Every structure is written in C-alpha cells, then in structure tokens.
Amino acid sequence: MISPQVPHGGPEVRVPHHINDPVIRSERLPNIWCPGCGIGIVVGAYVRALQKSAIPRERQISISGIGCTGRVSGYLNLDSYHTTHGRAIAFATGMAVARPELEITVIAGDGDLGVIGGNHLIHAARRNVDINVIMVNNFNYGMTGGQHGGTTPLGARTHTSPYGNVETPFNIPYLVAAAGASFVSRWTAMHVRQLTAAFSRMMEVKGFAFMEVLSPCPPTFGEFNGFPEALDMMKYFRDKAVVDHNADLSKIAVTARPDDSVVVGNFVDRKRPSYQELLGDLRARVQAQGVAKK
Amino acid sequence: MSSADAGGLKPGDHFMMGNFACVEGAILAGCRFYAGYPITPSSEIFERASVRFPQVGGNAIEMEDEVGSMAALVGASFGGAKVMTATSGPGFSLMMENIGLAYITEAPVVLVNVQRAGPSTGIPTLVGQGDMMQAKWGSHGDLETIAYSPSSVQEFFEFTIQAFNAAERFRTPVFVMADQIVAMMWERLRVPPAEEIEVTQRLVMEPAADQDRERVVFDYAKDFIPMPIAGRGSRVNVDSLTHDSRGYPTTDHGWSEKMTRHLAGKVRGHAREIWRWEEKFLEDAEVAVVSYGSAARSALAAVKYARAKGVKAGLLRLQTPWPFPDEVVEKVSRKVSGLVVAEINAGQMIHPVRENSRCPVVGVPWAPGTLIEPRAIVDAMQAVVAS
Amino acid sequence: MKFEIRITGLGGQGAITAGHVFGSAAALLEGKEVVVTEGYSPYVTGGWSRADVVVSDEPIDYPLVSRLDALVTMYQEGLDLNMKMVKPTGVVVAEQRLVDLSKVVGDKRVFPIPAADAADKLGKKVLMNIVMLGSAVALAAPRSLEPLKKAVMERFPKAAELNVRALDTGADLARAAKGRSIESLV
Amino acid sequence: MRAQQVAVQKKEIGPGAITREPINAAKFHKPVSRVYIIPERCKECDYCWTFCPNEVLELSDEINAAGYHHPKVKAGKENDCVNCGMCQAVCPEFAIYAKEEPRQ
C-alpha cells in the first residue's frame, strides 16, 4: 500500500562512511572492543550528544584513563587525552581549573574510576569540580583478562574470584551522591536514548555530573555469570531495568543476577556551587583587596 | 623568549626563606597553576603559593594525594598553564607515575623536591639528598631527566625560573632538587628588574582543519614539537601509550624506537646547553670535591680549610645534576689526582662521577640527617692526597 | 668578621621570629651576608624551636652555626644543651625566670634578663622575644639598634611602636645586667 | 537460527496486545527510510537486528574480512524502516544507520 507521494525504501546500502564519522576518528575503526561490548554504544550516545550540544566542538574535551573504556578518547575527533590508570579525574581537575571554559568529559571504566582511582572520584565529587564523568561499569577488569574489582557483585565468578567474589562491591551512584556530586545517574548500554539525554543534561550541569553505565562484558564477566552472549546481558538490561528517578540510592546495589532487577534513572540533579566558581570567587575577592607589593 | 611577569615580586633586595623564593621565582616565570599536597619540609611552598597565586590571577589547589597532584599538573599543562608542585621524598615516590605521563606526553611541569632524610617516612624535618637517583631512574621506562640543584636562596629562586624555561623549551618535566637546608634557610634574595629576567614561552600547535586526518601532528624528526593545547581545535590525541606521529597508540617497533629516541634525544642532544656548574680553586687543584645543593656549601668550607692547611683543593659544584655533565667531570678528573664526592646520602651521584672520571673517586657517606660537616670532607681529601 | 647567634625557646615564644628580624636587619639594612636557619621539634606547638643566624662580611659557605658568639635562650634545655657551643668570648642571654642558672654560677658569659616581666609591663607577653633580642644585641654585638628597629617596624607594622620599645627595654636591661652578678640572683 | 528464535519470541508478545490509531494520525506521515551499513566495521553482536522494533533486519549470509556476518534488510521488509534510530544507537561499531528517503 504505497501511495505515489511516499518514497520507496529498499535493501540496505553499503557505504564507506557513517553519518557520525565527522565526530569520531573513523580512520581508526574497527575499534578494539570485543563484539557486543557496550563501550561503543556509550561512545555513540556521547557522539550524538556532542552533535546536539550548542557548545563549540573545540571546547569539548575527552579524557580517559586506562583499560578498555580508557580507549574511548582515542576514537573521538576532539582534543582527547588518554592518561594513566585511575588518574583521569585528577588530570581533568587540573585542566578544568586551568581552563574553566572547557567542557570536559571523563570516560573511563569501573576499575579505573571506582577502584584504583576511587579517591580521585570521591574528592572530585566533594569539590564538585565542573566536569562530566562517565563510568562504564562492566563489573570486572576486562582488558587484563577478567579479574574481580570493586564493582564485581558478591558471589560473581571471575579469574581472580574463581570460587565466587567475597567482596561487597560499591554501590556507585550512592557513593558519588553522598560525596556531593551535582548530578548522579545510572543507565545501561541498552538505554540508548536515555544515555544521550543524560549526556546532554550533564553538559548543562554546573558541577560534578556523574553517570554510571552498566555494560555487557561478554568474554570475561558475562561468560561466568549467566550471560554467555553479549546479547543475554543486553536483554537482561531490557527486561529487568526499572526506571526510578526517585529511588532510594541506598537500595540500588547491582547484583547482576539474571533474576534480579536493576534500578536506573537520573537520581540527583541539584544546584551546588562548582569548584571552578568558588575558585573564581576566591580570586576575585583576593584581587579586589589589591596586591600589596612587598 | 620574553621577560618576566609583571605580577611578581618587586625588584631589589629581600630577606627570604628558600621555599618562598622558589614561589616568587615561579610567579616571575609565569607559573599560574599549583597543585599540591602538603609535606614537610616543602609545605611553605604550597602555603606561599596559596597566598600569592590568587593575587596574580592563578590557582593553587590541593589534591587528595601526590598522585592526583601530578596528574592535575599534566592536565593543567595541556590546558596551557605553566604549572608546578613541590614535595619531598614520600610524595616524589607517589608522583613518579604521572611524571612518566608528563614525559611521554611531553607536558612541561616543574616539580620542586625539598629532600629530607631517610627512606620511607624517614625524618621529615631533617636534611637529606637521597632522591638524586630517583630523579633519574624513579619513573619506569627510559626517562631523560633535567634537574637543578640550588645551594642558596638566590639559586633556589633563579633555578626555579630556569626550570620553567627548560620545561617549556624541552616540553618535559623538570625537577628542582632542593633540600631541607636550602629550603628552610633565610638569606638575601636579589630580584632583578622584570625585563632582565628571560622567560621561555612554549611552542603551541596551531588549530587543525577539521577533516585533515592524515597530517603529521608529532614530527619526531624535530627536537621541539609544538604542544597541542586543549580548546584550540588542534584535535590531537594525547596518549600515555607509545604513539605514532599522529598520536595514536601503536605497538609498531619502528614507532616505539622513533618516539623513545625523540623523547631522550631532545634532552641529550642539548645537554651542553642545559649544564650548569661552578668551579672554585680548580686551576691548580690536586684534589677536588664534587658536590651539589646545600652539601656544596660544606664542601666549599672544606676546600678553603684544606687550602689554609696547604692542600691544593678545589670544588666542582654541579648545579644541574641531570643530565649529568659528564664532559665537565671528565675534564676535571684529568687534572686532579683524586675526586671526593660530598653528598648527604650513602652515595648516589658518586656513581655517574666515577663512571666518567679518569682518577680515583671516593665518597663521604653521610646520613645522620644533618648537613655534611666540612671536617668529614677534609678528612677524605687528605686521605686522597696521602694515597 | 663572622658572628653566630642561636635564639632558642619553646613554641610560641617567638625565637624564630626574633632570628628573622635580626637577620633581615643585618642583610637588608646593614648590607651584611646573612643566613638564618631554623630548627624545631616535631611538635607543632609546645616543642622547642630555634633560629640560628650567621652574619658575616664575606659570603657565607657553611651555613650552620658551629661556635656561638651569642646564645639566647628562653627555656631550660636551651641552656643545658647549647652551652658547650658558646665561645669563651661569647655571651649567654637567658630569661631570668624561665631558666635556672644555678649550674652556671660564676660563668662570666651568662647574663640573666627579666624579659618576661618586662614584656608583661609593656602590656604584651609576646614581646618577650623582642626584649631578649634587644638585650642580646646590646651585650653580644654592640651596635646601633636603628636597623633592628626598622626591621621590627616592617615586620609588625600594627605594633611598631610597642616593638621598638621592647628593643629599647631589652637594651636597658642588658646594661643593668652587666652590673649584676649571677650569684645575686640565685 | 538465532534470528528465527528471536522472531518467535517477539510474536509471542503479540496476542492480547491492543492497538489504537490516534485521531490525528493523518497529520503524521510514516517515514520510509533506507538502511546504510559499513560491513567491514561489523562484529556480529546481533544487537541491531535483535532490537529493531520493526524487525526489518536480519543477518546476512555474507561475511566481512574479519569473518563476521553483517546485517541486511529482510526480504519483504524494504519499506518498513521508519528511521527510529535504534540500530544506529545500539550499534557499538558505527557500522549501521538509517536515513529517511526524501519525499517527492
């Protein structure tokens, strides 16, 4: 039933370039991530938020740490920085203080930001440094071959917890909200539209804007924990995610068990003075007093 | 080159602590960003920076640890700021990780290490010079280090400015290896007029055409490569991984070789321009002391005393321990019958001295947490002359 | 000519400040070569602290004191630990009520100064260090007090006059102390 | 094989579903779109065709240089892509997108 005014579709068309290619370093594709890895989806969501943002592309900065998610910066056609393991937020803090007009986004993994860099995470949230931080949480150390970390659920099996993990993991949004961030959210790699919307909101937020993105890690975490295919975990996210923006954050720890639900949402969006604003006020106050030259 | 910043200390004579003089040198050199973590005996640098930097439109921020401090410095350096921190041994150890980041990403950073006594926590309030080898070998992988070692408040001020100039020119971390004595002592500081203070500005990369994906951003054939500063549209990937001329990570042997040679070569190839040293009474010396930092003041006292006793003694003071001024040491070693290395540690710089000398070299191991006593150096010199 | 002085006291008494004032006067106003070094116990307050000042007409190589021309002490151990460093021709300026001088009776180098009481009379306890400094200079390095006065005025612009009076008081007490023997005090 | 399983599952949701037509439906047009693919970037994660709401896609028998089957438009579904953007958004590889065909 196609009227003459309506165009015809047709079979797929093979092309050399993607419509997002101007925003990425497409010459570096295919990327290094495993089939079904959620990191690429996060990159796509970030790219679409970049395209929508009114902030000039020159001022958009991407900073990563080390590990699988650490490679994100290298695929973005921005001023990008691939730093050291755990230190991306500290690196970003320095740049953000030196250049408050930049829109800095840190994209890194759970082990990177939440474990080795956990101290930088909570202190940046405490200071409310005006940066965006995306933590792609795949529940384990992927690049080194699947070891347990500070976000690995209790009981989960990895190469270094072969009998089940005996460490209680961080409930990351609860932690970051308690530390003082202006914006705290959690989504999954399956929530592709909410991811982009949250990215866009984070670029507007003044202060520390944080998002945890739960992501499949098929070859290491998934295989041992009831999600043999990447698709299994994506379906888990689709079927078991409960959107609750007003969730009690103390109760949203992730178990990553196929029968348990996962609470997602934009949990915190509040106004607190950012670190850069407070530093700017301080400078203005000091300079108004005049510099008594000795 | 341009001249010093107008926001700095008034020209003329001041009576000042070494740690304070260091901060004033940094401000005159154009430094406007400090990220630190307090540690004895360097804390006055952070305190003074906290007072002074906001006055001149800069920031002095406290990070959660030294690891974060050094990371923040590299970030701010790529933000275009001239950056510094100060620490002591324990903090220096923590900073090693991101000193390596600064090195491989070619970020100008100035780090002042006010050395104290002992390994681990050691004796925080007492003097040592035990971090000299750490400065050279502390961060993993091949690193070519530039380090200054001041012996007076005046030099602490001047070497801080020179450290910034070297850091900006060579785009590399540069250390000022001070010590507790020179940091805590008060002396007269003579500040020259701003126009007489030469200040080096870094080479900055021009914005790139958006779609020019094939350009060579890092031309390793050149020693000095313009720095891609965030927010100017250079669209460069800055990477802690070994990277090719476009800044992309690579495991290619050729690029690994090229990048590593470039990083070391830009310092080694210009070592003669970096070297600074002072010679005293070397013309007719039969024995010479090699020393640096506050220890060199004891060495000078020892040399004068020995001369008064009829021993033809001389002093070679290394103002830049790294890159090691091998030719200078070798030349001196050919003139004397022996060298005595006076330093406040169990023997560190004695190793490159020995490696480059043509005469016997003896050390004066010294680690009680005090300035090395001239008497010990005189004894060593007399033993060298007697043998 | 080289002159070495150690000023020592307990945290809060201002020993290090007195050293800085003396050092800056000599360096900036008298054109001397000066090094001031500091030392203190690991306790932030309450522990000992000291300033060592070397003044010379020549550039100073070894920066630390070795043989004291003057020792100024405002606590007991400051005397006990440092007497052995004082030259035979040196002077020891001790706070009369804070330091027990019974063990050094007969030592002609030692001068008790009632600086604490004098500071109380001036209306500010914290002036004790400046009173002691005035005494020390009058006894050990007789010279004009003018550069020192300028230095305290610069250092304490809000209490300039009071500090100048403290220096004068110290010098007066020094003159009085010269006429007294230690025996008469113990 | 897997494609068939997913299709069966989707059909199972069908019974009991109530569909209603908006009264202002005439004001809207249903976009007809084309699917564009970059086969060499595909790693056969199965996301695009699994999560395509209109079941427009399936795996091709062809493989790319890395040995992965890339997606293709199902026979008979050529006019069913409405450019919802799901395939593009859920693709981790920047290997697929859809674009609305210009209206004549």
Side-chain angles (χ1 to χ4, degrees), chain B residues 42-190:
Chain B
S42 74
S43 295
E44 291 81 6
I45 296 179
F46 192 5
E47 290 170 8
R48 178 93 173 186
S50 301
V51 173
R52 294 285 284 128
F53 276 41
Q55 292 177 344
V56 294
N59 292 291
I61 66 168
E62 182 176 272
M63 293 300 286
E64 45 279 0
D65 54 29
E66 286 90 344
V67 179
S69 300
M70 186 48 69
L73 290 183
V74 183
S77 187
F78 276 104
K82 289 190 179 182
V83 303
M84 79 173 293
T85 192
T87 190
S88 190
F92 199 40
S93 293
L94 289 176
M95 287 177 180
M96 283 302 155
E97 177 192 54
N98 292 303
I99 286 169
L101 176 67
Y103 184 74
I104 199 170
T105 60
E106 304 192 62
V109 170
V110 170
L111 185 161
V112 179
N113 181 353
V114 180
Q115 295 172 90
R116 65 194 217 184
S120 187
T121 312
I123 310 177
T125 53
L126 298 185
V127 69
Q129 291 181 321
D131 308 349
M132 300 307 295
M133 280 294 166
Q134 189 184 15
K136 177 70 180 81
W137 303 111
S139 195
H140 58 273
D142 287 316
L143 232 72
E144 203 54 54
T145 297
I146 302 175
Y148 293 82
S149 190
S151 294
S152 64
V153 170
Q154 185 71 32
E155 277 192 348
F156 205 173
F157 168 83
E158 289 173 5
F159 288 0
T160 302
I161 296 172
Q162 290 189 15
F164 274 100
N165 289 348
E168 297 294 331
R169 177 160 181 239
F170 293 98
R171 279 188 59 201
T172 196
V174 173
F175 306 140
V176 180
M177 299 299 286
D179 56 64
Q180 183 266 338
I181 295 279
V182 85
M184 303 293 286
M185 67 165 56
W186 291 61
E187 285 185 310
R188 186 193 299 112
L189 168 66
R190 193 153 279 170

Side-chain angles (χ1 to χ4, degrees), chain C residues 31-158:
Chain C
K32 302 280 188 189
E33 297 295 328
V34 180
V35 179
V36 180
T37 50
E38 304 168 359
Y40 30 72
S41 76
Y43 308 103
V44 173
T45 52
W48 59 267
S49 64
R50 64 157 190 257
D52 293 341
V53 189
V54 180
V55 181
S56 175
D57 296 321
E58 305 290 319
I60 297 163
D61 39 56
Y62 187 70
L64 307 183
V65 296
S66 43
R67 301 188 66 224
L68 296 173
D69 293 283
L71 169 68
V72 177
T73 178
M74 294 176 276
Y75 77 117
Q76 186 62 45
E77 284 190 322
L79 182 84
D80 302 343
L81 297 172
N82 297 312
M83 272 308 282
K84 59 179 182 296
M85 287 179 72
V86 182
K87 282 181 184 171
T89 55
V91 299
V92 177
V93 186
E95 208 298 320
Q96 187 169 299
R97 284 173 60 184
L98 300 177
V99 184
D100 173 13
L101 297 174
S102 57
K103 283 185 202 153
V104 289
V105 168
D107 192 329
K108 295 272 184 280
R109 299 173 298 175
V110 183
F111 295 90
I113 298 291
D117 291 343
D120 279 343
K121 272 186 211 145
L122 286 166
K124 270 195 166 176
K125 243 185 185 44
V126 292
L127 291 168
M128 177 171 72
N129 60 339
I130 304 298
V131 174
M132 292 292 280
L133 186 60
S135 297
V137 169
L139 288 164
R143 65 177 85 191
S144 161
L145 277 181
E146 286 316 307
L148 262 185
K149 286 180 181 173
K150 268 192 174 174
V152 291
M153 286 192 283
E154 236 175 66
R155 176 77 191 237
F156 310 106
K158 285 179 189 157

Side-chain angles (χ1 to χ4, degrees), chain A residues 21-22 24-28 57-58 61 66 71 73-74 77-85 87 90-91 93-95 97-99 102 119-120 123 127 275 279 282-283 286-287 291 293-294, chain B residues 6 8 10 14 33 54-59 61-65 67-68 71-72 74-76 78-79 97-98 210 213 228-241 246 248-249:
Chain A
D21 277 6
I24 58 176
R25 295 195 171 111
S26 52
E27 69 275 22
R28 301 197 62 218
R57 199 70 50 79
E58 283 70 35
I61 309 294
I66 295 298
R71 297 302 186 100
S73 285
N77 188 22
L78 302 173
D79 285 348
S80 62
Y81 299 87
H82 185 211
T83 65
T84 40
H85 195 37
R87 319 305 170 204
F91 184 101
T93 299
M95 186 180 281
V97 168
R99 297 284 302 281
L102 298 179
N119 207 29
H120 308 303
H123 286 281
R127 296 182 188 109
Y275 190 44
L279 283 169
L282 180 147
R283 280 196 307 277
V286 171
Q287 288 180 317
V291 181
K293 272 203 175 183
K294 273 191 84 179
Chain B
K10 200 171 73 177
H14 301 263
F33 185 90
Q55 292 177 344
V56 294
N59 292 291
I61 66 168
E62 182 176 272
M63 293 300 286
E64 45 279 0
D65 54 29
V67 179
V74 183
F78 276 104
E97 177 192 54
N98 292 303
D210 193 21
R213 305 286 179 98
I229 300 298
R232 296 187 87 241
S234 340
R235 297 282 168 87
V236 169
N237 183 51
V238 173
D239 215 299
S240 64
L241 287 162
R246 294 158 80 193
Y248 295 160

